[in-house]
Amino acid sequence: NNNIRFFGKEIKMDIFNKDKNEEITPIVYCDVKNCVYHSGENICKANKINVGPTHALSSYDTICSTFKPEKTP
């Protein structure tokens, strides 16, 4: 089992389906409710996720550049 715990949630770290050798999309949990990719269940639904910058010392130093604000009426 290669899973890790992140903020109390277990995250599956296997990126390949061992039986079919197919790539699996990992579940990405996100609390940013005003992003267009937020599912309402704290899961990001973006096809690709970019996190930066190139160098960070902790999660507080990172930024999700995939974030796209919802349009407000």
Side-chain angles (χ1 to χ4, degrees):
N1 182 329
N2 293 333
N3 297 352
I4 63 168
R5 292 198 70 74
F6 184 71
F7 289 105
K9 296 179 181 169
E10 187 167 329
I11 299 175
K12 187 173 184 173
M13 296 304 293
D14 295 328
I15 60 169
F16 291 98
N17 183 332
K18 293 177 178 73
D19 297 331
K20 299 179 183 174
N21 205 23
E22 296 174 354
E23 191 172 335
I24 302 171
T25 304
I27 296 172
V28 176
Y29 295 96
C30 180
D31 295 325
V32 182
K33 296 184 183 344
N34 66 325
C35 179
V36 297
Y37 301 112
H38 189 270
S39 72
E41 299 172 359
N42 290 351
I43 296 175
C44 180
K45 295 294 184 182
N47 291 332
K48 293 182 181 180
I49 300 168
N50 295 317
V51 178
T54 305
H55 301 287
L57 298 176
S58 74
S59 60
Y60 294 106
D61 298 331
T62 61
I63 299 169
C64 176
S65 60
T66 306
F67 170 77
K68 195 178 202 182
E70 287 182 329
K71 293 183 179 174
T72 54

